């Protein structure tokens, strides 16, 4: 393929990137320097970094995102390992991917029905003699639902990295006397870290900016930066402050992608 043809075929991608990725980010950055009256100011950033509420909200967002990511990882890695050794891999993968086709709002309302006071879970608990419990509008329900929704995005990259692993390495490890646990921790896991990193990015970054689940599942108990952005844009109409929080989120996401990127692979590509 010639350079001219490459440039021609890259035009739609460049236009899409410019119109729907770079332009919105630049608009958010621009809007963050204006207050609620439309006057140019740096006060939004000063308010963010000097306010205990915003800093606490940032810490909560990272803690929730980390907890959701850790929960999905603990479920996803054994699942991906199990799927890689089954006969009907594509069928099981299709069943895992299938829930992603359902609208997020529909899934959230389904869990509201499950976790409510008169929902299926509390009906089962009442049948067992435990009695109805407050499950909805708790940290547990928020993390549980968020982890369920993000689960496929952690399983798929880990599964792909396990599938790309050379089976002879596992056989060699077992021939040298390593136990299954030693093979897993010293051979399989280190060689599939690229999939773990990709899954971490795919789950942690969206979890930082969740706002709909915080309202529907977590109630007012779960307050994150995504919730703050929603409030400033839709309730207080302070677009400048909302954009400032959006800029902080974008910078955080870029930093996370840089920290979790596969530096070894980049180094090999450079050579």
């Amino acid at each position: 393929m010639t350079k001219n043809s490459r440039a021609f075929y890259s035009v739609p991608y460049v236009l899409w990137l410019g119109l729907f990725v770079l332009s919105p980010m630049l608009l958010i950055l621009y809007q963050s320097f204006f207050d609620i009256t439309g006057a140019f100011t740096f006060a939004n950033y000063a308010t963010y970094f000097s306010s205990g509420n915003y800093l606490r909200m940032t810490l909560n967002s990272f803690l929730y995102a980390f907890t959701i990511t850790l929960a999905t990882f603990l479920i996803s890695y054994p699942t991906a390992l199990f799927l890689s050794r089954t006969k009907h891999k594509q069928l099981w993968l299709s069943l895992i991917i299938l829930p992603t086709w359902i609208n997020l709002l529909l899934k959230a309302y389904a869990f509201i029905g499950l976790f409510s006071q008169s929902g299926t879970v509390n009906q089962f608990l009442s049948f067992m003699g435990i009695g109805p419990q407050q499950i909805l509008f708790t940290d547990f329900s928020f993390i549980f639902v968020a982890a369920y929704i993000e689960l496929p995005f952690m399983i798929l990259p880990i599964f792909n990295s396990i599938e790309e692993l050379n089976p002879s390495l596992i056989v060699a490890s077992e021939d040298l006397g390593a136990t299954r646990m030693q093979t897993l921790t010293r051979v399989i896991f280190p060689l599939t870290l690229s999939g773990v990193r990709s899954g971490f990015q795919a789950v942690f970054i969206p979890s930082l900016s969740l706002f709909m689940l915080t309202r529907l599942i977590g109630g007012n108990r779960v307050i994150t930066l995504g919730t703050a952005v929603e409030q400033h844009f839709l309730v207080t109409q302070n677009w400048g402050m909302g954009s400032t929080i959006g800029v902080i989120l974008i910078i955080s996401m870029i930093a996370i992608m840089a920290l979790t990127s596969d530096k070894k692979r980049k180094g090999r590509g450079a050579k």
Side-chain angles (χ1 to χ4, degrees), residues 104-173:
L104 179 62
L105 190 61
L106 294 177
K107 287 188 280 191
Y109 278 113
F111 275 104
I112 290 174
L114 287 172
F115 290 156
S116 63
Q117 285 291 324
S118 59
T120 306
V121 175
N122 272 318
Q123 287 179 6
F124 176 76
L125 292 177
S126 298
F127 174 76
M128 296 296 293
I130 301 174
Q133 302 292 322
Q134 180 60 45
I135 303 174
L136 197 62
F137 305 141
T138 61
D139 289 348
F140 167 78
S141 63
F142 169 69
I143 293 170
F144 182 91
V145 175
Y148 164 79
I149 291 171
E150 302 286 358
L151 204 58
F153 305 106
M154 180 70 80
I155 292 176
L156 289 176
I158 294 176
F159 173 81
N160 289 332
S161 64
I162 293 174
E163 283 288 284
E164 293 173 359
L165 187 63
N166 191 343
S168 62
L169 297 174
I170 300 174
V171 175
S173 175

Side-chain angles (χ1 to χ4, degrees), residues 224-261:
T224 63
L225 290 178
T227 311
V229 172
E230 178 201 19
Q231 285 291 304
H232 282 304
F233 273 96
L234 301 181
V235 180
T236 65
Q237 297 294 310
N238 189 352
W239 289 19
M241 196 65 218
S243 298
T244 300
I245 300 172
V247 170
I248 300 298
L249 275 172
I250 292 171
I251 293 173
S252 301
M253 293 173 184
I254 293 173
I256 291 164
M257 291 183 67
L259 290 172
T260 56
S261 62

Side-chain angles (χ1 to χ4, degrees), residues 63-218:
L63 286 176
Y64 280 122
F66 177 77
T67 305
I68 293 167
T69 305
L70 180 62
T72 55
F73 169 73
L74 292 176
I75 298 171
S76 298
Y77 202 93
T79 303
L81 200 61
F82 170 76
L83 288 176
S84 66
R85 298 176 180 178
T86 57
K87 291 183 178 180
H88 306 289
K89 300 176 185 179
Q90 299 304 320
L91 174 62
W92 289 109
L93 283 176
S94 299
L95 293 175
I96 290 171
I97 296 171
L98 197 61
T100 62
W101 298 355
I102 302 172
N103 185 271
L104 179 62
L105 190 61
L106 294 177
K107 287 188 280 191
Y109 278 113
F111 275 104
I112 290 174
L114 287 172
F115 290 156
S116 63
Q117 285 291 324
S118 59
T120 306
V121 175
N122 272 318
Q123 287 179 6
F124 176 76
L125 292 177
S126 298
F127 174 76
M128 296 296 293
I130 301 174
Q133 302 292 322
Q134 180 60 45
I135 303 174
L136 197 62
F137 305 141
T138 61
D139 289 348
F140 167 78
S141 63
F142 169 69
I143 293 170
F144 182 91
V145 175
Y148 164 79
I149 291 171
E150 302 286 358
L151 204 58
F153 305 106
M154 180 70 80
I155 292 176
L156 289 176
I158 294 176
F159 173 81
N160 289 332
S161 64
I162 293 174
E163 283 288 284
E164 293 173 359
L165 187 63
N166 191 343
S168 62
L169 297 174
I170 300 174
V171 175
S173 175
E174 293 173 351
D175 288 343
L176 291 171
T179 63
R180 288 188 176 182
M181 183 56 67
Q182 288 174 330
T183 302
L184 175 63
T185 56
R186 298 187 180 184
V187 179
I188 298 175
F189 184 73
L191 293 175
T192 56
L193 274 177
S194 59
V196 175
R197 291 191 191 97
S198 299
F200 186 92
Q201 292 176 357
V203 174
F204 190 93
I205 292 175
S207 298
L208 269 180
S209 56
L210 286 175
F211 70 92
M212 187 172 67
L213 291 181
T214 58
R215 292 294 185 202
L216 296 176
I217 305 298

